[in-house]
Amino acid sequence: MAVKMNLFDYSPPVRVWILVLLYAVELSASLWMAYELRFDFMLEAASQHERLFVLLWLIPIQLILLGLFHQLTPLLGYFSTPDLARVFHALTISAAIAVAVWIIWGTGYAPPRGVIVVDFVFGLTGITGVRLAMRTMRESIGSINKLASTQGRRRVCIIGAGDSGAVLAHELTLKPGYGLDPVAFFDDEARKWNSRVHDIPNLGPPEKLMDTAAKLHIQEAIIAMPTAPAKRIGEIVRLLQRVGLPCKTVPSLDQLALGQVRVSQLRNVEVQDLLGRERVDLEIENIRQIINNRVILVTGAGGSIGSELCRQIATYHPKQLLLVDQSEPNLFQIEQELIGLDHGQRITALIADITDRARIEEILSTLRPAVIFHAAAHKHVPLMEYQPGEAIKNNSLGTAQLADLALEFKVDRFIQVSTDKAINPTSVMGATKRLAEMYIQSLYAAEPARTKFMTVRFGNVLGSSGSVIPRFTKQIAAGGPVKVTHPEMTRYFMTIPEASMLVLQSAAQGTGGEIFVLDMGKPVKIVDLARQMIELSGLKPYDDIQIEFTGIRPGEKLFEELTHTGENFAPTNHPKICRYLSQPVDLGDIRGTLETLRAKLHHAQPTEIKQLLQQALPDYTPYMDPGEPEPHTIIPLRDFARQSPASLGS
């Protein structure tokens, strides 16, 4: 039967009195024994009276100092190095007071110098012993409870005996409610083999699981290697699949560093763990300078990138964080999440469409943001091919209007989130984002002394809305097939937290007019991604789940590109960020182009709008649907759906 009630369950006031009593007894015994040793256990009557007098004033001073150093209000049973340092400081000050009294008034009022020294040593040793005894008692009770509650808990091994693994084992051991009982460590470092961490044996490298998993009745493995290379994580995952052990992993190092999660918040191993992305190192102080105690606005705050930007921005303590989105459900979700993370007092959720000039004017004039992160956009490539007017309205005209208003209301920095699909675009989405990039570059060139306009361009983001990851996940859950467009199609990928971190880093180092391009690593074949996701689900490609090739969709490229013709490369002080500088076009010319497009949005067919886009962007190669009506042939809205292919969502 687990222990239900013990010394550590008492209320805080009772715990304080327990500590006061224990400390008073120990400190009195220390002073008493210091006198005995000083006088060889032969105290004269005068020294005995002096000892009683010193007890009356020195012990209260020591207790008061221990209280000032927060040693009367800790949780009983918890004692660490910082606590020992505080006890040392408290007793050092009390000894200094005793010395001062001895110097001023001499013996009779203060103990002799030898007594002061011995009392300090005995007091420090005694209080440390009391606290360590309490800690030992708590851990013993925890062990009894652990033994009593082991039945029904899953036996797990932890792969990785570093800091993360040790913290995880400690939490699982002390908190049986997790339902996991760590029984063994495995680690790649030979120096850690045949040792024990929190009394759990480290049996050797992960490969030893092939021989020991069955003997130890291990039911699950936890990978606690947040700094390990993706290649090694992949090898371990495949090893566990051969052994037949389900596995989970601790959060990524970036999430742990940001304080978003605890090491005990386990999750399934995901495909991004296997893609070889390195940890992002941020220049924290530079980011803090542009965010701390300032009003920050994020458009598209409910989206994949926008919401992660909000999470990270909130950790830098802005004066106010304005969440702007036209989707009420998405905005509500990120608002509630940030409130749950104790950021409620600094966030304001605002329903707004960036194309609604009056609403955006109201927000900027009233709340006066210093920095705008512009992440709102229509981004689904096939969907926008058949509705180019909506892509232009949101991605190009909306961005241009927001940038104009940022200039008017003296916003300090304007950071547009763009895409690698804007490079030599073949899709409407990419072309409209390229037009937006050109506009804010031209606007900065025309007004360089006011708002710092810049663009951050990156590729596909793992797990974002509409990306291949959630689509493949649903297809695998449905039993397949997993649909891939082409066997040679490749894409650059990065994780949502990584992309958002680098957006913040770019914002901090931009001076205006730049297009920052994030280091996307190596391109990944989509078919390889599909295979890895099937294997992570515990299934075999082509045996359990089929992979089908459906053909390239309208507007898609086989390979993504990273640079435009005419853009000049320049390094930055961050190894994962490059800067591209190009000659901006005349602001009047691009405004004329946007007005021409605005006039045609709802009065022209998709083909005609694409032709107008191509006139503005010579490097744009549009997809022209052979079944689409000729320009100027208006089709009724009710017939529009029949013009769109059934494969739009696949």
Side-chain angles (χ1 to χ4, degrees):
M1 178 180 173
V3 176
K4 296 293 184 182
M5 184 67 186
N6 55 67
L7 177 67
F8 311 109
D9 293 328
Y10 289 119
S11 63
V14 174
R15 292 201 300 265
V16 170
W17 282 111
I18 290 173
L19 279 177
V20 168
L21 178 62
L22 289 173
Y23 286 171
V25 170
E26 194 284 325
L27 292 170
S28 299
S30 296
L31 184 62
W32 193 275
M33 185 57 65
Y35 266 95
E36 294 291 338
L37 290 175
R38 168 66 177 77
F39 293 100
D40 293 327
F41 296 93
M42 297 174 59
L43 269 76
E44 297 178 355
S47 296
Q48 292 182 14
H49 287 300
E50 177 188 287
R51 178 169 61 183
L52 289 173
F53 178 73
V54 170
L55 276 171
L56 291 177
W57 69 261
L58 183 57
I59 302 304
I61 287 176
Q62 290 175 323
L63 291 174
I64 291 170
L65 286 167
L66 286 167
L68 292 175
F69 280 90
H70 307 292
Q71 293 308 296
L72 296 181
T73 55
L75 290 173
L76 298 182
Y78 289 87
F79 188 68
S80 60
T81 303
D83 291 311
L84 176 61
R86 295 186 185 103
V87 172
F88 176 84
H89 293 146
L91 295 184
T92 299
I93 294 172
S94 70
I97 292 173
V99 170
V101 172
W102 178 84
I103 292 172
I104 297 171
W105 287 291
T107 56
Y109 295 95
R113 289 167 296 177
V115 170
I116 294 173
V117 172
V118 174
D119 177 55
F120 171 79
V121 174
F122 280 6
L124 181 62
T125 305
I127 288 180
T128 302
V130 168
R131 295 292 298 279
L132 287 176
M134 286 185 169
R135 175 173 169 174
T136 302
M137 187 188 306
R138 176 183 62 82
E139 291 177 349
S140 298
I141 292 171
S143 299
I144 295 171
N145 288 338
K146 178 188 174 185
L147 290 172
S149 61
T150 298
Q151 187 174 3
R153 293 170 65 189
R154 292 175 62 81
R155 293 172 64 84
V156 300
C157 66
I158 298 175
I159 300 176
D163 292 340
S164 296
V167 171
L168 175 64
H170 188 63
E171 284 215 31
L172 296 182
T173 301
L174 292 181
K175 298 177 181 177
Y178 285 118
L180 301 174
D181 180 23
V183 297
F185 276 103
F186 296 90
D187 196 276
D188 285 330
E189 292 189 50
R191 65 183 180 85
K192 296 179 181 178
W193 299 346
N194 301 315
S195 61
R196 302 181 80 85
V197 179
H198 297 304
D199 205 33
I200 300 168
N202 186 339
L203 301 180
E207 284 71 18
K208 285 200 70 174
L209 272 166
M210 299 289 289
D211 304 321
T212 58
K215 295 177 185 177
L216 296 175
H217 305 290
I218 295 172
Q219 298 168 284
E220 188 173 338
I222 301 172
I223 301 174
M225 304 169 67
T227 61
K231 181 181 178 182
R232 181 55 178 156
I233 297 295
E235 292 171 351
I236 291 172
V237 169
R238 287 188 287 275
L239 168 69
L240 295 173
Q241 288 171 344
R242 290 199 299 273
V243 177
L245 284 179
C247 67
K248 293 189 182 298
T249 185
V250 299
S252 70
L253 198 60
D254 292 329
Q255 290 175 307
L256 293 171
L258 288 169
Q260 295 178 343
V261 293
R262 298 190 307 274
V263 71
S264 58
Q265 291 178 269
L266 305 177
R267 60 173 174 82
N268 293 326
V269 179
E270 298 169 347
V271 71
Q272 49 260 47
D273 298 314
L274 313 180
L275 287 181
R277 302 299 303 176
E278 298 177 357
R279 183 191 174 193
V280 177
D281 293 316
L282 296 180
E283 296 167 353
I284 300 293
E285 194 53 41
N286 291 347
I287 298 173
R288 192 183 310 281
Q289 287 176 6
I290 69 164
I291 293 176
N292 184 249
N293 204 32
R294 304 179 85 190
V295 180
I296 312 295
L297 185 149
V298 179
T299 70
S304 305
I305 294 296
S307 60
E308 181 62 26
L309 277 172
C310 291
R311 293 183 194 100
Q312 294 187 21
I313 290 169
T315 65
Y316 291 94
H317 304 291
K319 180 179 181 180
Q320 192 174 16
L321 176 55
L322 310 177
L323 319 178
V324 175
D325 203 297
Q326 63 176 333
S327 169
E328 181 188 13
N330 290 350
L331 186 61
F332 179 77
Q333 186 173 346
I334 184 62
E335 178 198 35
Q336 294 304 304
E337 181 182 338
L338 291 175
I339 289 173
L341 294 171
D342 295 328
H343 299 305
Q345 292 188 354
R346 62 172 61 97
I347 65 169
T348 302
L350 301 162
I351 297 286
D353 185 340
I354 62 165
T355 64
D356 183 346
R357 184 181 183 91
R359 174 64 168 149
I360 299 301
E361 276 186 343
E362 176 200 6
I363 292 171
L364 298 188
S365 63
T366 305
L367 300 173
R368 295 286 178 172
V371 182
I372 293 177
F373 290 91
H374 177 40
H378 287 323
K379 65 176 186 177
H380 296 289
V381 170
L383 198 59
M384 292 300 102
E385 284 302 304
Y386 295 91
Q387 302 170 84
E390 291 303 306
I392 291 170
K393 182 170 67 175
N394 198 39
N395 296 355
S396 303
L397 297 174
T399 298
Q401 178 175 274
L402 184 63
D404 287 339
L405 291 173
L407 193 65
E408 179 182 338
F409 289 100
K410 299 179 182 178
V411 172
D412 179 46
R413 291 172 187 262
F414 182 102
I415 303 94
Q416 178 192 210
V417 174
S418 191
T419 169
D420 58 0
K421 292 175 177 60
I423 303 165
N424 304 319
T426 59
S427 65
V428 166
M429 192 279 279
T432 56
K433 293 295 283 184
R434 176 56 184 154
L435 206 56
E437 290 182 359
M438 293 167 60
Y439 186 87
I440 68 168
Q441 265 196 315
S442 299
L443 189 60
Y444 176 76
E447 298 278 358
R450 294 168 66 181
T451 301
K452 298 180 183 69
F453 289 98
M454 61 200 79
T455 293
V456 183
R457 186 192 286 164
F458 50 84
N460 296 271
V461 179
L462 286 165
S464 64
S465 171
S467 72
V468 295
I469 302 297
R471 194 163 71 240
F472 285 174
T473 300
K474 289 181 181 179
Q475 291 169 354
I476 293 169
V482 174
K483 296 181 179 181
V484 179
T485 52
H486 193 282
E488 296 301 320
M489 180 168 281
T490 62
R491 289 291 182 268
Y492 293 95
F493 286 103
M494 62 174 23
T495 65
I496 294 174
E498 181 185 5
S500 301
M501 287 178 190
L502 291 174
V503 168
L504 294 180
Q505 187 68 72
S506 300
Q509 66 183 25
T511 57
E514 305 98 337
I515 295 177
F516 292 106
V517 180
L518 308 187
D519 175 12
M520 297 302 297
K522 297 179 181 179
V524 176
K525 275 191 175 183
I526 302 300
V527 67
D528 291 341
L529 196 66
R531 289 195 194 101
Q532 288 178 326
M533 290 189 65
I534 293 170
E535 290 170 352
L536 283 177
S537 301
L539 304 170
K540 294 182 179 179
Y542 300 109
D543 289 340
D544 301 314
I545 299 286
Q546 293 299 313
I547 297 176
E548 290 184 1
F549 298 104
T550 59
I552 298 176
R553 297 177 296 180
E556 285 189 323
K557 295 180 181 179
L558 200 58
F559 309 100
E560 295 290 6
E561 301 167 272
L562 292 181
T563 59
H564 253 295
T565 303
E567 287 182 330
N568 299 315
F569 167 80
T572 70
N573 55 11
H574 195 283
K576 285 203 165 195
I577 302 174
C578 304
R579 178 191 289 112
Y580 288 104
L581 299 172
S582 57
Q583 186 65 34
V585 301
D586 181 75
L587 183 59
D589 290 345
I590 194 168
R591 279 179 170 165
T593 297
L594 291 177
E595 288 307 312
T596 300
L597 289 168
R598 187 195 303 275
K600 293 284 188 178
L601 289 184
H602 306 295
H603 305 287
Q605 292 303 320
T607 298
E608 185 175 356
I609 293 177
K610 291 177 185 178
Q611 289 171 343
L612 291 172
L613 270 176
Q614 191 176 27
Q615 291 173 17
L617 302 169
D619 52 354
Y620 168 44
T621 306
Y623 165 80
M624 296 297 186
D625 186 354
E628 199 171 292
E630 292 296 321
H632 307 298
T633 303
I634 305 299
I635 58 173
L637 186 61
R638 63 178 179 275
D639 296 329
F640 178 77
R642 290 197 285 272
Q643 297 291 333
S644 302
S647 62
L648 266 182
S650 65

